[in-house]
Amino acid sequence: MKQKKKSDVAVLLDYAGSHKGLTFLGLALSAVSMLLSMAPYICIWLVARDLIAVAPDWTRAQDIAQYGWLAFAFAVAGIVLYFAGLMCTHLAAFRTAANIRKRGVAHVMKAPLGFFDSNASGLIRGRLDAAAADTETLLAHNLADIVGTITLFVSMLVLMFVFDWRMGAACLLAAVISMIAMFSMMGGKNAKLMAEYQAAQDRMTKAGTEYVRGIPVVKIFQQTVYSFKAFQEAIEDYSSKAEHYQGDVCRVPQSINLTFTEGAFVFLVPAALFLAPGALAGGDFAGFIANFAFYAVFSAIISTALAKIMFAASGMMLASTALRRIDQVMCAPELKVPEHPQSPGSSRVEFEDVSFTYDGAQTSALSHVSFTAEPGQTVALVGPSGGGKTTAASLIPRFWDATSGVVKVGGVDVRQIDPHVLMDQIAFVFQNSRLFKASILENVRAARPNATREQVLSALKAAQCEDILEKLPQGMDTLIGSEGTYLSGGEQQRIALARAILKDAPIVVLDEATAFADPENEALIQKAFTELTRGRTVIMIAHRLSTVVGADKILVLEEGRIVEQGSHQELTAAGGLYARMWADYNKAVQWKITSEQ
Ligand code: ADP
């Protein structure tokens, strides 16, 4: 079904939810306040009329003080209503931004875990948070200003007929010219130029961020900014686009726009001079002068209104790009939840002819992979980098779903298991297991929120973390990642292992990356692994072959295919890829031992 595209404002108002009414109330108040703020000009007209009528005997003009008070009252009422209106629009705008954040996060929570791998969490947060904030200006200020300005122009049209339409038209003419000039900069082929100019600005910002990230490398290698070709090119591209757009395209229309915005009276004075003789002859010269006074003062607010339209236009653009970014988050794929979920019967893990291709990739990361890990068995995945080990492990907790074939846990297709139940079955420890900026207790307890302190402590002990607890000032209540309490990579990994141990899931998916750990940490991590994997079904990505010798089954993955499988003895005897890797590994170990002697 083809859906009619909603305007950006309508989309934003949808996000406002129950606060939508407040936006409308705010806009109505803004319109009324604009009407009230025009009333003082009418009072001025009344004053001018009375004064001219009694000239030169000014004392006879008795009502002018009253008009003055009236003007004051209208002005104050206008300001009060304007603020009341802004309060409403602000409340609605903040609620809208909050709703965007909530809905975005709620949506992202339904995305498969793999989505967070390819979309760094900071990026998602930044995109959503900044975009939500960007919608605020439009909803809180610009919409109210647009409504106010429309009210102003409509009432101007009315006032044109009330006083003197010819002088009114003269004032309006300047406003119309300045608006035409303003929109000519943004419409037609200039819209494309402006989009290019903004895109160049975006590219420059991104390249700038990359550059700042790369500063350590630049310093170490004694490079200059010119070594960052992309950044330099982005700056040059931006400057040429900016010069072209601002210099060639905007110079003339912007000059016209500013001239007529500030000088709404340029047509008024000649019009008045032109009309004066007629008014003199007509006998109501006093009325004519009063009308002129009205328009002369009134023309001043036209420029304010026009300036507001300009801000409103840029607010619209900002909100529109913000909505595009929000859409990107809202378009994150959703993990499909089964309608009639089934429960896994055991901790058996099975791959049945599983193939998987990453979105946008040319070749598949896994091709026709089949294997079984019986309950309690340890299956090790080995092979060259890029062989598909991580991908295979990621399919079990549904980071992604298989492109074809079936991944089963306990005899049930993982897609038919309630995601929460599946997560309860699996503990996974990957290389980038993150710790939160919280106490160690909270970090470990994340696996099982109702675990007692004692249970957390015994998990920490099983994960060989006692030395970490001892050296920290408040033991497991110490906040990590703040006030200088940082843990080494190996220590962080042991805490992550404690978390997995506490989870007590029957299946463990594990990336044994100890490459960055020092020898002491490494030995402790090995012990923690043993604790974690005891009695469980284990799928382990192995980087160093010493850890796989005892595995029940070893799968050798190369270019997404299982090229060999069997026990360590079987594979070394077979003389294939694994046997070569084993020989290389032993050579490396020997070399290390020899060189350390
Ligand atoms: P291994 O763990 O054995 O080193 P991976 O499973 O990480 O191998 O990678 C298998 C293949 O899939 C590689 O060609 C890799 O480039 C590709 N790949 C891995 N992760 C992604 C991803 N998030 N998006 C696209 N391609 C990926």
Side-chain angles (χ1 to χ4, degrees):
M1 198 179 70
K2 211 177 158 200
Q3 269 192 333
K4 196 168 162 276
K5 199 182 168 302
K6 277 189 173 178
S7 76
D8 290 344
V9 173
V11 174
L12 279 176
L13 288 179
D14 277 351
Y15 280 115
S18 58
H19 279 52
K20 201 174 182 173
L22 265 185
T23 307
F24 291 127
L25 178 64
L27 299 185
L29 288 176
S30 160
V32 176
S33 103
M34 183 51 89
L35 289 178
L36 289 179
S37 64
M38 285 168 71
Y41 296 96
I42 299 175
C43 295
I44 292 173
W45 177 81
L46 289 169
V47 170
R49 186 198 63 181
D50 285 8
L51 284 177
I52 294 165
V54 299
D57 186 5
W58 312 115
T59 48
R60 279 172 49 219
Q62 293 180 347
D63 292 336
I64 54 171
Q66 241 171 317
Y67 293 140
W69 284 115
L70 215 54
F72 178 71
F74 277 124
V76 170
I79 291 170
V80 169
L81 281 195
Y82 184 63
F83 276 106
L86 279 189
M87 194 132 88
C88 295
T89 53
H90 272 83
L91 283 176
F94 292 142
R95 178 54 67 101
T96 305
N99 284 349
I100 289 175
R101 291 184 180 109
K102 276 192 212 156
R103 269 198 237 172
V105 171
H107 182 82
V108 162
M109 292 300 272
K110 289 190 214 140
L113 291 173
F115 173 74
F116 298 93
D117 259 8
S118 36
N119 295 273
S121 51
L123 197 73
I124 299 171
R125 195 202 64 83
R127 204 183 284 167
L128 197 62
D129 208 27
D134 280 352
T135 62
E136 259 168 48
T137 325
L138 176 71
L139 283 182
H141 294 275
N142 300 146
L143 276 190
D145 287 343
I146 292 174
V147 170
T149 313
I150 292 172
T151 316
L152 172 81
F153 280 108
V154 172
S155 12
M156 260 166 67
L157 282 174
V158 174
L159 288 179
M160 257 171 51
F161 291 102
V162 173
F163 299 109
D164 186 322
W165 72 268
R166 294 157 305 184
M167 283 195 273
C171 281
L172 219 53
L173 185 59
V176 171
I177 292 178
S178 100
M179 275 206 296
I180 291 175
M182 189 183 343
F183 287 112
S184 80
M185 289 185 279
M186 300 171 181
K189 71 172 176 18
N190 291 342
K192 205 170 136 244
L193 281 179
M194 186 165 71
E196 280 172 13
Y197 157 63
Q198 279 171 342
Q201 192 169 14
D202 272 358
R203 275 198 299 277
M204 186 174 69
T205 315
K206 276 191 198 133
T209 314
E210 281 304 309
Y211 172 65
V212 172
R213 278 205 196 123
I215 281 179
V217 181
V218 173
K219 285 194 138 182
I220 288 167
F221 294 102
Q222 307 271 330
Q223 300 286 314
T224 63
V225 63
Y226 295 104
S227 58
F228 270 80
K229 269 253 171 322
F231 189 26
Q232 192 195 351
E233 278 164 14
I235 294 174
E236 282 166 3
D237 180 44
Y238 170 74
S239 90
S240 81
K241 293 237 162 59
E243 261 173 45
H244 175 55
Y245 181 66
Q246 299 191 338
D248 304 340
V249 178
C250 294
R251 188 182 295 143
V252 176
Q254 179 67 347
S255 311
I256 295 176
N257 173 31
L258 287 180
T259 309
F260 288 96
T261 305
E262 297 298 331
F265 49 82
V266 286
F267 293 114
L268 178 64
V269 176
L273 290 176
F274 180 72
L275 295 171
L280 255 175
D284 186 20
F285 193 62
F288 175 77
I289 294 291
N291 287 350
F292 175 72
F294 170 78
Y295 286 112
V297 183
F298 191 73
S299 64
I301 56 170
I302 294 179
S303 61
T304 323
L306 287 175
K308 280 184 178 172
I309 290 198
M310 208 142 75
F311 286 125
S314 76
M316 280 278 206
M317 271 186 315
L318 196 68
S320 172
T321 37
L323 279 174
R324 299 291 90 74
R325 279 182 286 155
I326 293 166
D327 265 357
Q328 284 173 358
V329 175
M330 297 295 183
C331 287
E334 269 188 46
L335 191 72
K336 288 195 187 71
V337 180
E339 263 179 52
H340 305 289
Q342 298 170 29
S343 302
S346 67
S347 63
R348 190 169 198 258
V349 175
E350 250 174 303
F351 273 51
E352 283 178 3
D353 199 29
V354 172
S355 298
F356 179 75
T357 310
Y358 284 99
D359 261 355
Q362 302 292 327
T363 52
S364 37
L366 283 184
S367 309
H368 307 287
V369 170
S370 299
F371 71 89
T372 309
E374 296 296 342
Q377 276 194 340
T378 295
V379 170
L381 307 176
V382 301
S385 172
K389 304 181 289 293
T390 314
T391 309
S394 309
L395 296 184
I396 307 168
R398 289 188 77 191
F399 269 64
W400 318 102
D401 279 335
T403 315
S404 70
V406 185
V407 177
K408 286 183 177 172
V409 164
V412 181
D413 183 340
V414 282
R415 288 168 293 199
Q416 296 308 321
I417 303 173
D418 180 313
H420 294 288
V421 174
L422 181 65
M423 285 301 163
D424 282 344
Q425 299 293 306
I426 304 169
F428 50 90
V429 185
F430 280 180
Q431 290 194 29
N432 55 358
S433 295
R434 295 231 168 75
L435 296 187
F436 311 117
K437 204 169 171 180
S439 68
I440 292 187
L441 174 74
E442 295 304 326
N443 262 294
V444 177
R445 197 142 61 179
R448 202 144 57 88
N450 53 3
T452 61
R453 276 181 81 87
E454 286 65 40
Q455 286 169 326
V456 172
L457 189 64
S458 71
L460 281 163
K461 280 186 183 158
Q464 315 297 314
C465 297
E466 278 168 304
D467 61 323
I468 307 176
L469 298 185
E470 273 164 25
K471 72 174 187 188
L472 293 179
Q474 282 126 29
M476 66 175 169
D477 294 311
T478 311
L479 282 183
I480 44 180
S482 65
E483 292 155 24
T485 313
Y486 288 99
L487 300 177
S488 75
E491 289 168 339
Q492 287 187 25
Q493 201 174 15
R494 275 188 277 148
I495 305 275
L497 285 169
R499 184 152 70 188
I501 290 173
L502 182 71
K503 187 164 183 188
D504 197 17
I507 300 168
V508 175
V509 179
L510 176 67
D511 188 337
E512 134 325 322
T514 44
F516 52 78
D518 47 85
E520 280 139 62
N521 257 314
E522 196 172 317
L524 291 172
I525 288 170
Q526 285 307 329
K527 265 198 204 159
F529 275 160
T530 315
E531 288 291 334
L532 172 62
T533 56
R534 183 174 298 142
R536 299 190 167 106
T537 310
V538 181
I539 309 291
M540 177 170 74
I541 301 170
H543 298 275
R544 290 151 332 120
L545 297 187
S546 61
T547 44
V548 307
V549 174
D552 296 292
K553 195 185 286 178
I554 300 166
L555 307 178
V556 186
L557 281 166
E558 192 181 25
E559 293 177 1
R561 290 173 190 279
I562 299 183
V563 289
E564 280 178 83
Q565 60 177 308
S567 68
H568 174 73
Q569 279 74 19
E570 286 163 2
L571 291 179
T572 37
L577 176 59
Y578 182 81
R580 283 200 300 282
M581 284 165 63
W582 179 246
D584 286 347
Y585 173 72
N586 279 320
K587 241 188 262 166
V589 172
Q590 225 133 51
W591 174 82
K592 205 170 151 197
I593 292 170
T594 327
S595 65
E596 274 174 10
Q597 271 173 353

